[in-house]
């Protein structure tokens, strides 16, 4: 993977770990567009699954199912096929109703219409400050 896709995948993973699922999805999509690697399909699908279980939006579920299936078709011998299959099964049938978040599960907040600014820096000791918000270490996602 070239440096820009790898960088975007890393940014996506950091946003995912921070629970910033929309920003993570955007970064994973950019990485995949530049370097279509099967693991990036899995990253996108996992992010959409988090968004679905947090919001119950059927569009997130439908996209996650498509991406899990695509991953399984392009990487059938991957070490991650068991993980992908289990994640796909946990979403249930494609036409099932909205998800009910499981109490205590790690879920994403419901989405509101918004604009998100995602910033990153590779400079050592960098911090990012937008408007009157306190400075934060990169990567940063600001609404």
């Amino acid at each position: 993977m070239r440096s820009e896709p790898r960088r975007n995948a890393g940014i996506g993973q950091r946003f995912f770990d921070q629970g910033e699922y929309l920003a993570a999805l955007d970064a994973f999509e950019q990485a995949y567009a530049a370097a279509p690697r099967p693991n990036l399909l899995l990253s996108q699908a996992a992010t959409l699954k988090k968004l679905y279980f947090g919001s119950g939006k059927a569009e997130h579920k439908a996209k996650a199912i498509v991406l899990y299936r695509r991953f399984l078709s392009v990487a059938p011998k991957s070490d991650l096929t068991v993980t992908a299959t289990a994640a796909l099964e946990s979403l249930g049938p494609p036409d099932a109703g909205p998800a009910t978040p499981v109490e205590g599960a790690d879920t994403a907040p419901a989405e509101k219409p918004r604009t998100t600014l995602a910033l990153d820096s590779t400079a050592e000791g960098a911090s990012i400050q937008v408007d009157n918000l306190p400075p934060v270490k990169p990567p940063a996602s600001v609404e």
Side-chain angles (χ1 to χ4, degrees), residues 16-102:
F16 185 91
D17 293 343
Q18 295 169 4
E20 295 284 341
Y21 301 120
L22 290 173
L25 182 61
D26 184 55
F28 289 138
E29 287 172 342
Q30 288 180 37
Y32 185 78
R37 305 279 191 230
N39 288 0
L40 293 170
L41 291 171
L42 201 54
S43 297
Q44 290 175 69
T47 305
L48 285 160
K49 181 181 167 192
K50 287 280 192 180
L51 287 167
Y52 171 64
F53 281 119
S55 69
K57 288 191 172 190
E59 64 207 48
H60 292 155
K61 176 181 177 178
K63 288 177 185 176
I65 289 171
V66 166
L67 291 171
Y68 279 125
R69 287 179 177 167
R70 188 176 305 155
F71 171 82
L72 291 168
S73 72
V74 300
K77 296 184 188 269
S78 169
D79 293 341
L80 298 172
T81 56
V82 172
T83 300
T85 301
L88 182 58
E89 289 172 358
S90 75
L91 287 166
D95 59 349
T100 304
V102 177

Side-chain angles (χ1 to χ4, degrees), residues 101-124:
V102 177
E103 188 175 327
D106 181 20
T107 59
E111 290 181 70
K112 298 180 244 172
R114 64 183 185 165
T115 299
T116 302
L117 177 64
L119 303 167
D120 193 22
S121 174
T122 57
E124 188 174 328

